[in-house]
Amino acid sequence: MENYNETFTDFILLGLFPTSSLGLFLFTLTILIFLMALTGNLCMVLLILLDSQLHTPMYLLLSQLSLIDLICICTTVPKMASGFLFGNKSISFIGCGVQCFFFAMLAGCEGPILMSMAYDRYVAICFPLHYPIRMNRRVCVLMILGSWVMGVVNSCAHTVYVLHIPYCRSRAIDHFYCDIPAMVTLACEDTWIYEYTLFLSTVTFLLFPFIVIVGSYGKVLLAVYRMRTQEGRKKAYSTCSTHLTVVTLYYVPFVFTYLRPKSFRSPAEDKVVSVFYAILTPMLNPVIYSLRNKEVLGALARVAVKFRSTTM
């Protein structure tokens, strides 16, 4: 029998998997994915930090993407795993607020980071001679800081709201983490104004970066098409296709979840789709960037040789 140990201010996370053999199998698979994502993103951050040849705007931005994925999966999976294993699915009011804050911050930060990465490739391919000026270290740092600041400000506004609305219905959240839209459905006051604000916020953080990304890659593909050398085309296509794959993994689940009309949404669908951007994407991103990037593989070899020589 499950023990929730709930107080009046606790929330209950109903979780993701049923308490059955199928649920145990899916849970085990999720833990393996979690460990892969944890290892892959941590290695990517450390690799970019340790190898001086990767201290370029492109890889500094990539390190931020890996850091976002690392924090994201650590925000959601451990609590979900604890609830499934020990049956204690309650989460404190403050703990739920912390989950809301970090997840909303990371979701809001990732769009501008991907937009900055698209702009970086646009300048590198379309204006290679101007690249050292347009994408120098200072510009890159400002892009990174701006992305994090926008994510924090956006997250603070949403988190403060969900922590101050009255919850007079059941406090059972039909999700595996404290998802803001799922929490709002439990409020006992009319929240249509906030839901409209949340929709506008999602459009802002999804649509504007998406327009910049599409515009950047439209010009990039046109420039690649005009390249005379086959080797240059191949390298440009490889870089762009890798980034576009990551962009697709980010946008499709978020658009499907947050930009659909409320009448077309269901808690079961939202939970399944959230698995993609909260668990699967953090695992896939480092695999995509490492396996299809010769510079990352080369850096991995250099760091491994350096580490081996220092330990011998």
Side-chain angles (χ1 to χ4, degrees):
M1 186 174 180
E2 294 179 339
N3 179 26
Y4 290 148
N5 295 324
E6 61 181 294
T7 66
F8 180 72
T9 58
D10 284 345
F11 288 97
I12 303 299
L13 295 174
L14 297 183
L16 185 61
F17 307 120
T19 54
S20 62
S21 55
L22 175 61
L24 182 60
F25 169 76
L26 294 174
F27 170 77
T28 304
L29 185 62
T30 301
I31 294 301
L32 292 175
I33 293 173
F34 169 73
L35 294 175
M36 290 174 62
L38 195 67
T39 304
N41 287 290
L42 186 59
C43 286
M44 188 67 75
V45 171
L46 292 176
L47 185 64
I48 294 171
L49 180 66
L50 295 174
D51 190 83
S52 58
Q53 294 188 32
L54 296 184
H55 291 177
T56 62
M58 174 183 174
Y59 290 104
L60 290 176
L61 291 168
L62 177 57
S63 71
Q64 298 305 299
L65 183 63
S66 295
L67 183 61
I68 289 171
D69 287 338
L70 183 64
I71 301 173
C72 177
I73 200 164
C74 289
T75 300
T76 57
V77 174
K79 178 57 184 173
M80 181 270 290
S82 172
F84 183 83
L85 288 176
F86 304 111
N88 183 11
K89 297 187 177 183
S90 66
I91 182 170
S92 68
F93 187 78
I94 298 300
C96 201
V98 170
Q99 273 198 338
C100 288
F101 173 78
F102 276 103
F103 195 85
M105 177 188 69
L106 298 170
C109 182
E110 188 166 350
I113 289 290
L114 291 173
M115 179 181 68
S116 300
M117 294 175 73
Y119 176 76
D120 173 79
R121 291 300 85 202
Y122 162 70
V123 176
I125 294 174
C126 298
F127 302 97
L129 298 179
H130 296 170
Y131 184 80
I133 300 174
R134 293 195 181 188
M135 278 301 296
N136 54 45
R137 183 69 64 86
R138 179 174 175 275
V139 172
C140 181
V141 170
L142 287 175
M143 283 181 168
I144 291 171
L145 289 177
S147 299
W148 283 102
V149 168
M150 285 191 292
V152 169
V153 171
N154 177 67
S155 179
C156 283
H158 291 298
T159 304
V160 168
Y161 177 82
V162 296
L163 292 182
H164 283 81
I165 57 177
Y167 292 98
C168 52
R169 300 180 190 175
S170 168
R171 286 180 174 249
I173 303 173
D174 195 2
H175 219 291
F176 62 94
Y177 66 92
C178 291
D179 181 52
I180 291 177
M183 293 176 66
V184 170
T185 61
L186 304 178
C188 61
E189 67 177 15
D190 192 358
T191 59
W192 72 268
I193 295 178
Y194 173 74
E195 290 175 14
Y196 182 71
T197 304
L198 180 62
F199 177 80
L200 290 179
S201 173
T202 306
V203 168
T204 301
F205 278 86
L206 287 178
L207 189 59
F208 179 71
F210 182 73
I211 291 173
V212 175
I213 290 170
V214 170
S216 298
Y217 278 107
K219 294 185 177 181
V220 164
L221 292 175
L222 186 61
V224 170
Y225 178 76
R226 293 173 179 173
M227 286 182 178
R228 296 181 180 181
T229 62
Q230 188 69 23
E231 186 64 26
R233 284 187 182 183
K234 185 177 179 181
K235 184 177 180 180
Y237 275 130
S238 176
T239 303
C240 294
S241 62
T242 298
H243 185 57
L244 286 173
T245 302
V246 173
V247 169
T248 303
L249 290 174
Y250 168 74
Y251 271 96
V252 171
F254 271 104
V255 169
F256 184 80
T257 301
Y258 292 100
L259 295 184
R260 281 186 302 162
K262 188 177 179 180
S263 58
F264 287 90
R265 296 177 57 181
S266 70
E269 286 182 352
D270 286 349
K271 282 197 292 186
V272 171
V273 175
S274 66
V275 169
F276 284 90
Y277 58 74
I279 300 176
L280 289 178
T281 298
M283 183 269 292
L284 292 173
N285 283 349
V287 174
I288 293 169
Y289 274 109
S290 61
L291 293 182
R292 301 188 61 182
N293 193 312
K294 293 181 180 179
E295 293 181 6
V296 172
L297 294 176
L300 183 62
R302 288 191 298 271
V303 170
V305 169
K306 188 186 299 184
F307 179 77
R308 200 175 303 159
S309 62
T310 56
T311 55
M312 291 181 65

PDB file of all heavy atoms in Angstrom, residues 171-195:
ATOM      1  N   ARG A 171      -5.042  17.963  -4.367  1.00  0.00           N
ATOM      2  CA  ARG A 171      -3.670  18.391  -4.635  1.00  0.00           C
ATOM      3  C   ARG A 171      -2.893  17.303  -5.372  1.00  0.00           C
ATOM      4  O   ARG A 171      -1.666  17.309  -5.361  1.00  0.00           O
ATOM      5  CB  ARG A 171      -2.964  18.760  -3.331  1.00  0.00           C
ATOM      6  CG  ARG A 171      -3.455  20.104  -2.782  1.00  0.00           C
ATOM      7  CD  ARG A 171      -2.757  20.469  -1.500  1.00  0.00           C
ATOM      8  NE  ARG A 171      -3.155  21.811  -1.091  1.00  0.00           N
ATOM      9  CZ  ARG A 171      -2.345  22.870  -1.100  1.00  0.00           C
ATOM     10  NH1 ARG A 171      -1.103  22.731  -1.494  1.00  0.00           N
ATOM     11  NH2 ARG A 171      -2.779  24.056  -0.717  1.00  0.00           N
ATOM     12  N   ALA A 172      -3.592  16.377  -5.980  1.00  0.00           N
ATOM     13  CA  ALA A 172      -2.948  15.310  -6.745  1.00  0.00           C
ATOM     14  C   ALA A 172      -2.658  15.802  -8.163  1.00  0.00           C
ATOM     15  O   ALA A 172      -3.580  16.037  -8.950  1.00  0.00           O
ATOM     16  CB  ALA A 172      -3.834  14.071  -6.781  1.00  0.00           C
ATOM     17  N   ILE A 173      -1.388  15.980  -8.490  1.00  0.00           N
ATOM     18  CA  ILE A 173      -0.975  16.454  -9.809  1.00  0.00           C
ATOM     19  C   ILE A 173      -0.805  15.250 -10.726  1.00  0.00           C
ATOM     20  O   ILE A 173       0.005  14.355 -10.445  1.00  0.00           O
ATOM     21  CB  ILE A 173       0.352  17.244  -9.715  1.00  0.00           C
ATOM     22  CG1 ILE A 173       0.214  18.415  -8.750  1.00  0.00           C
ATOM     23  CG2 ILE A 173       0.787  17.739 -11.084  1.00  0.00           C
ATOM     24  CD1 ILE A 173       1.520  19.135  -8.469  1.00  0.00           C
ATOM     25  N   ASP A 174      -1.552  15.216 -11.795  1.00  0.00           N
ATOM     26  CA  ASP A 174      -1.508  14.082 -12.723  1.00  0.00           C
ATOM     27  C   ASP A 174      -0.300  14.229 -13.638  1.00  0.00           C
ATOM     28  O   ASP A 174      -0.418  14.474 -14.845  1.00  0.00           O
ATOM     29  CB  ASP A 174      -2.797  14.008 -13.535  1.00  0.00           C
ATOM     30  CG  ASP A 174      -2.946  12.661 -14.243  1.00  0.00           C
ATOM     31  OD1 ASP A 174      -2.066  11.800 -14.064  1.00  0.00           O
ATOM     32  OD2 ASP A 174      -3.939  12.478 -14.971  1.00  0.00           O
ATOM     33  N   HIS A 175       0.884  14.085 -13.047  1.00  0.00           N
ATOM     34  CA  HIS A 175       2.142  14.232 -13.782  1.00  0.00           C
ATOM     35  C   HIS A 175       3.247  13.584 -12.967  1.00  0.00           C
ATOM     36  O   HIS A 175       3.007  13.149 -11.832  1.00  0.00           O
ATOM     37  CB  HIS A 175       2.452  15.709 -14.027  1.00  0.00           C
ATOM     38  CG  HIS A 175       3.037  15.971 -15.397  1.00  0.00           C
ATOM     39  ND1 HIS A 175       4.297  15.544 -15.756  1.00  0.00           N
ATOM     40  CD2 HIS A 175       2.537  16.607 -16.481  1.00  0.00           C
ATOM     41  CE1 HIS A 175       4.543  15.913 -16.999  1.00  0.00           C
ATOM     42  NE2 HIS A 175       3.477  16.553 -17.474  1.00  0.00           N
ATOM     43  N   PHE A 176       4.475  13.511 -13.544  1.00  0.00           N
ATOM     44  CA  PHE A 176       5.589  12.954 -12.772  1.00  0.00           C
ATOM     45  C   PHE A 176       6.530  14.035 -12.241  1.00  0.00           C
ATOM     46  O   PHE A 176       7.529  13.736 -11.606  1.00  0.00           O
ATOM     47  CB  PHE A 176       6.366  11.909 -13.589  1.00  0.00           C
ATOM     48  CG  PHE A 176       7.024  12.430 -14.835  1.00  0.00           C
ATOM     49  CD1 PHE A 176       8.353  12.839 -14.823  1.00  0.00           C
ATOM     50  CD2 PHE A 176       6.337  12.483 -16.037  1.00  0.00           C
ATOM     51  CE1 PHE A 176       8.971  13.302 -15.966  1.00  0.00           C
ATOM     52  CE2 PHE A 176       6.944  12.945 -17.198  1.00  0.00           C
ATOM     53  CZ  PHE A 176       8.264  13.360 -17.156  1.00  0.00           C
ATOM     54  N   TYR A 177       6.221  15.295 -12.509  1.00  0.00           N
ATOM     55  CA  TYR A 177       6.894  16.415 -11.872  1.00  0.00           C
ATOM     56  C   TYR A 177       5.882  17.563 -11.777  1.00  0.00           C
ATOM     57  O   TYR A 177       4.777  17.480 -12.314  1.00  0.00           O
ATOM     58  CB  TYR A 177       8.145  16.843 -12.648  1.00  0.00           C
ATOM     59  CG  TYR A 177       7.876  17.410 -14.019  1.00  0.00           C
ATOM     60  CD1 TYR A 177       7.700  18.775 -14.214  1.00  0.00           C
ATOM     61  CD2 TYR A 177       7.796  16.578 -15.146  1.00  0.00           C
ATOM     62  CE1 TYR A 177       7.454  19.300 -15.476  1.00  0.00           C
ATOM     63  CE2 TYR A 177       7.547  17.097 -16.405  1.00  0.00           C
ATOM     64  CZ  TYR A 177       7.382  18.450 -16.557  1.00  0.00           C
ATOM     65  OH  TYR A 177       7.134  18.964 -17.811  1.00  0.00           O
ATOM     66  N   CYS A 178       6.256  18.627 -11.080  1.00  0.00           N
ATOM     67  CA  CYS A 178       5.332  19.745 -10.884  1.00  0.00           C
ATOM     68  C   CYS A 178       5.281  20.597 -12.142  1.00  0.00           C
ATOM     69  O   CYS A 178       6.002  21.600 -12.264  1.00  0.00           O
ATOM     70  CB  CYS A 178       5.767  20.575  -9.678  1.00  0.00           C
ATOM     71  SG  CYS A 178       5.564  19.725  -8.105  1.00  0.00           S
ATOM     72  N   ASP A 179       4.441  20.199 -13.060  1.00  0.00           N
ATOM     73  CA  ASP A 179       4.252  20.912 -14.321  1.00  0.00           C
ATOM     74  C   ASP A 179       3.233  22.029 -14.088  1.00  0.00           C
ATOM     75  O   ASP A 179       2.146  21.797 -13.556  1.00  0.00           O
ATOM     76  CB  ASP A 179       3.755  19.939 -15.389  1.00  0.00           C
ATOM     77  CG  ASP A 179       3.569  20.604 -16.731  1.00  0.00           C
ATOM     78  OD1 ASP A 179       4.507  21.262 -17.200  1.00  0.00           O
ATOM     79  OD2 ASP A 179       2.479  20.451 -17.318  1.00  0.00           O
ATOM     80  N   ILE A 180       3.587  23.252 -14.476  1.00  0.00           N
ATOM     81  CA  ILE A 180       2.748  24.410 -14.176  1.00  0.00           C
ATOM     82  C   ILE A 180       1.333  24.278 -14.739  1.00  0.00           C
ATOM     83  O   ILE A 180       0.352  24.491 -14.019  1.00  0.00           O
ATOM     84  CB  ILE A 180       3.440  25.703 -14.650  1.00  0.00           C
ATOM     85  CG1 ILE A 180       4.665  25.981 -13.769  1.00  0.00           C
ATOM     86  CG2 ILE A 180       2.478  26.893 -14.593  1.00  0.00           C
ATOM     87  CD1 ILE A 180       5.475  27.187 -14.180  1.00  0.00           C
ATOM     88  N   PRO A 181       1.136  23.936 -16.026  1.00  0.00           N
ATOM     89  CA  PRO A 181      -0.244  23.783 -16.523  1.00  0.00           C
ATOM     90  C   PRO A 181      -1.045  22.726 -15.764  1.00  0.00           C
ATOM     91  O   PRO A 181      -2.245  22.904 -15.529  1.00  0.00           O
ATOM     92  CB  PRO A 181      -0.048  23.373 -17.996  1.00  0.00           C
ATOM     93  CG  PRO A 181       1.281  23.947 -18.360  1.00  0.00           C
ATOM     94  CD  PRO A 181       2.114  23.802 -17.130  1.00  0.00           C
ATOM     95  N   ALA A 182      -0.377  21.635 -15.348  1.00  0.00           N
ATOM     96  CA  ALA A 182      -1.080  20.603 -14.585  1.00  0.00           C
ATOM     97  C   ALA A 182      -1.475  21.110 -13.201  1.00  0.00           C
ATOM     98  O   ALA A 182      -2.525  20.733 -12.666  1.00  0.00           O
ATOM     99  CB  ALA A 182      -0.195  19.361 -14.460  1.00  0.00           C
ATOM    100  N   MET A 183      -0.657  21.988 -12.617  1.00  0.00           N
ATOM    101  CA  MET A 183      -0.975  22.555 -11.302  1.00  0.00           C
ATOM    102  C   MET A 183      -2.120  23.555 -11.398  1.00  0.00           C
ATOM    103  O   MET A 183      -2.970  23.633 -10.506  1.00  0.00           O
ATOM    104  CB  MET A 183       0.266  23.225 -10.702  1.00  0.00           C
ATOM    105  CG  MET A 183       1.387  22.270 -10.353  1.00  0.00           C
ATOM    106  SD  MET A 183       2.855  23.137  -9.760  1.00  0.00           S
ATOM    107  CE  MET A 183       2.258  23.822  -8.222  1.00  0.00           C
ATOM    108  N   VAL A 184      -2.145  24.330 -12.475  1.00  0.00           N
ATOM    109  CA  VAL A 184      -3.174  25.365 -12.625  1.00  0.00           C
ATOM    110  C   VAL A 184      -4.572  24.743 -12.679  1.00  0.00           C
ATOM    111  O   VAL A 184      -5.543  25.346 -12.225  1.00  0.00           O
ATOM    112  CB  VAL A 184      -2.885  26.211 -13.888  1.00  0.00           C
ATOM    113  CG1 VAL A 184      -4.043  27.129 -14.220  1.00  0.00           C
ATOM    114  CG2 VAL A 184      -1.613  27.034 -13.686  1.00  0.00           C
ATOM    115  N   THR A 185      -4.664  23.525 -13.215  1.00  0.00           N
ATOM    116  CA  THR A 185      -5.979  22.870 -13.288  1.00  0.00           C
ATOM    117  C   THR A 185      -6.548  22.557 -11.912  1.00  0.00           C
ATOM    118  O   THR A 185      -7.744  22.289 -11.781  1.00  0.00           O
ATOM    119  CB  THR A 185      -5.887  21.566 -14.103  1.00  0.00           C
ATOM    120  OG1 THR A 185      -4.977  20.666 -13.451  1.00  0.00           O
ATOM    121  CG2 THR A 185      -5.399  21.831 -15.513  1.00  0.00           C
ATOM    122  N   LEU A 186      -5.702  22.571 -10.874  1.00  0.00           N
ATOM    123  CA  LEU A 186      -6.156  22.270  -9.519  1.00  0.00           C
ATOM    124  C   LEU A 186      -6.622  23.510  -8.765  1.00  0.00           C
ATOM    125  O   LEU A 186      -7.103  23.402  -7.637  1.00  0.00           O
ATOM    126  CB  LEU A 186      -5.034  21.594  -8.716  1.00  0.00           C
ATOM    127  CG  LEU A 186      -4.434  20.321  -9.316  1.00  0.00           C
ATOM    128  CD1 LEU A 186      -3.301  19.818  -8.428  1.00  0.00           C
ATOM    129  CD2 LEU A 186      -5.495  19.252  -9.493  1.00  0.00           C
ATOM    130  N   ALA A 187      -6.437  24.685  -9.345  1.00  0.00           N
ATOM    131  CA  ALA A 187      -6.799  25.929  -8.653  1.00  0.00           C
ATOM    132  C   ALA A 187      -8.311  26.047  -8.515  1.00  0.00           C
ATOM    133  O   ALA A 187      -9.069  25.560  -9.364  1.00  0.00           O
ATOM    134  CB  ALA A 187      -6.243  27.119  -9.411  1.00  0.00           C
ATOM    135  N   CYS A 188      -8.741  26.728  -7.455  1.00  0.00           N
ATOM    136  CA  CYS A 188     -10.184  26.881  -7.249  1.00  0.00           C
ATOM    137  C   CYS A 188     -10.689  28.249  -7.698  1.00  0.00           C
ATOM    138  O   CYS A 188     -11.848  28.581  -7.463  1.00  0.00           O
ATOM    139  CB  CYS A 188     -10.531  26.660  -5.772  1.00  0.00           C
ATOM    140  SG  CYS A 188      -9.730  27.825  -4.661  1.00  0.00           S
ATOM    141  N   GLU A 189      -9.822  29.030  -8.329  1.00  0.00           N
ATOM    142  CA  GLU A 189     -10.249  30.307  -8.883  1.00  0.00           C
ATOM    143  C   GLU A 189     -10.139  30.274 -10.401  1.00  0.00           C
ATOM    144  O   GLU A 189      -9.466  29.410 -10.960  1.00  0.00           O
ATOM    145  CB  GLU A 189      -9.411  31.458  -8.318  1.00  0.00           C
ATOM    146  CG  GLU A 189      -7.957  31.428  -8.757  1.00  0.00           C
ATOM    147  CD  GLU A 189      -7.176  32.630  -8.222  1.00  0.00           C
ATOM    148  OE1 GLU A 189      -7.669  33.306  -7.299  1.00  0.00           O
ATOM    149  OE2 GLU A 189      -6.072  32.880  -8.741  1.00  0.00           O
ATOM    150  N   ASP A 190     -10.793  31.210 -11.047  1.00  0.00           N
ATOM    151  CA  ASP A 190     -10.743  31.278 -12.506  1.00  0.00           C
ATOM    152  C   ASP A 190      -9.344  31.703 -12.943  1.00  0.00           C
ATOM    153  O   ASP A 190      -8.841  32.757 -12.522  1.00  0.00           O
ATOM    154  CB  ASP A 190     -11.773  32.283 -13.007  1.00  0.00           C
ATOM    155  CG  ASP A 190     -11.971  32.183 -14.514  1.00  0.00           C
ATOM    156  OD1 ASP A 190     -11.274  31.365 -15.145  1.00  0.00           O
ATOM    157  OD2 ASP A 190     -12.803  32.931 -15.063  1.00  0.00           O
ATOM    158  N   THR A 191      -8.713  30.886 -13.760  1.00  0.00           N
ATOM    159  CA  THR A 191      -7.319  31.148 -14.155  1.00  0.00           C
ATOM    160  C   THR A 191      -7.189  31.455 -15.645  1.00  0.00           C
ATOM    161  O   THR A 191      -6.103  31.327 -16.207  1.00  0.00           O
ATOM    162  CB  THR A 191      -6.434  29.933 -13.817  1.00  0.00           C
ATOM    163  OG1 THR A 191      -6.931  28.769 -14.513  1.00  0.00           O
ATOM    164  CG2 THR A 191      -6.409  29.662 -12.323  1.00  0.00           C
ATOM    165  N   TRP A 192      -8.270  31.878 -16.289  1.00  0.00           N
ATOM    166  CA  TRP A 192      -8.201  32.055 -17.746  1.00  0.00           C
ATOM    167  C   TRP A 192      -7.230  33.167 -18.129  1.00  0.00           C
ATOM    168  O   TRP A 192      -6.560  33.074 -19.175  1.00  0.00           O
ATOM    169  CB  TRP A 192      -9.593  32.339 -18.310  1.00  0.00           C
ATOM    170  CG  TRP A 192     -10.129  33.710 -17.996  1.00  0.00           C
ATOM    171  CD1 TRP A 192     -10.900  34.068 -16.934  1.00  0.00           C
ATOM    172  CD2 TRP A 192      -9.934  34.898 -18.766  1.00  0.00           C
ATOM    173  NE1 TRP A 192     -11.190  35.406 -16.975  1.00  0.00           N
ATOM    174  CE2 TRP A 192     -10.619  35.953 -18.100  1.00  0.00           C
ATOM    175  CE3 TRP A 192      -9.270  35.204 -19.954  1.00  0.00           C
ATOM    176  CZ2 TRP A 192     -10.644  37.253 -18.560  1.00  0.00           C
ATOM    177  CZ3 TRP A 192      -9.293  36.504 -20.432  1.00  0.00           C
ATOM    178  CH2 TRP A 192      -9.968  37.507 -19.752  1.00  0.00           C
ATOM    179  N   ILE A 193      -7.104  34.206 -17.284  1.00  0.00           N
ATOM    180  CA  ILE A 193      -6.172  35.290 -17.591  1.00  0.00           C
ATOM    181  C   ILE A 193      -4.734  34.765 -17.559  1.00  0.00           C
ATOM    182  O   ILE A 193      -3.926  35.058 -18.449  1.00  0.00           O
ATOM    183  CB  ILE A 193      -6.338  36.462 -16.600  1.00  0.00           C
ATOM    184  CG1 ILE A 193      -7.725  37.090 -16.757  1.00  0.00           C
ATOM    185  CG2 ILE A 193      -5.248  37.511 -16.808  1.00  0.00           C
ATOM    186  CD1 ILE A 193      -7.998  38.219 -15.787  1.00  0.00           C
ATOM    187  N   TYR A 194      -4.426  33.965 -16.535  1.00  0.00           N
ATOM    188  CA  TYR A 194      -3.077  33.406 -16.453  1.00  0.00           C
ATOM    189  C   TYR A 194      -2.814  32.433 -17.605  1.00  0.00           C
ATOM    190  O   TYR A 194      -1.716  32.417 -18.162  1.00  0.00           O
ATOM    191  CB  TYR A 194      -2.851  32.699 -15.120  1.00  0.00           C
ATOM    192  CG  TYR A 194      -1.532  31.975 -15.100  1.00  0.00           C
ATOM    193  CD1 TYR A 194      -0.333  32.682 -14.993  1.00  0.00           C
ATOM    194  CD2 TYR A 194      -1.461  30.585 -15.227  1.00  0.00           C
ATOM    195  CE1 TYR A 194       0.888  32.026 -15.016  1.00  0.00           C
ATOM    196  CE2 TYR A 194      -0.246  29.930 -15.244  1.00  0.00           C
ATOM    197  CZ  TYR A 194       0.921  30.658 -15.139  1.00  0.00           C
ATOM    198  OH  TYR A 194       2.128  30.010 -15.171  1.00  0.00           O
ATOM    199  N   GLU A 195      -3.803  31.604 -17.928  1.00  0.00           N
ATOM    200  CA  GLU A 195      -3.618  30.657 -19.021  1.00  0.00           C
ATOM    201  C   GLU A 195      -3.355  31.383 -20.336  1.00  0.00           C
ATOM    202  O   GLU A 195      -2.543  30.936 -21.157  1.00  0.00           O
ATOM    203  CB  GLU A 195      -4.848  29.753 -19.140  1.00  0.00           C
ATOM    204  CG  GLU A 195      -4.988  28.770 -17.992  1.00  0.00           C
ATOM    205  CD  GLU A 195      -6.276  27.971 -18.067  1.00  0.00           C
ATOM    206  OE1 GLU A 195      -6.913  28.004 -19.137  1.00  0.00           O
ATOM    207  OE2 GLU A 195      -6.633  27.332 -17.072  1.00  0.00           O
TER     208      GLU A 195
END
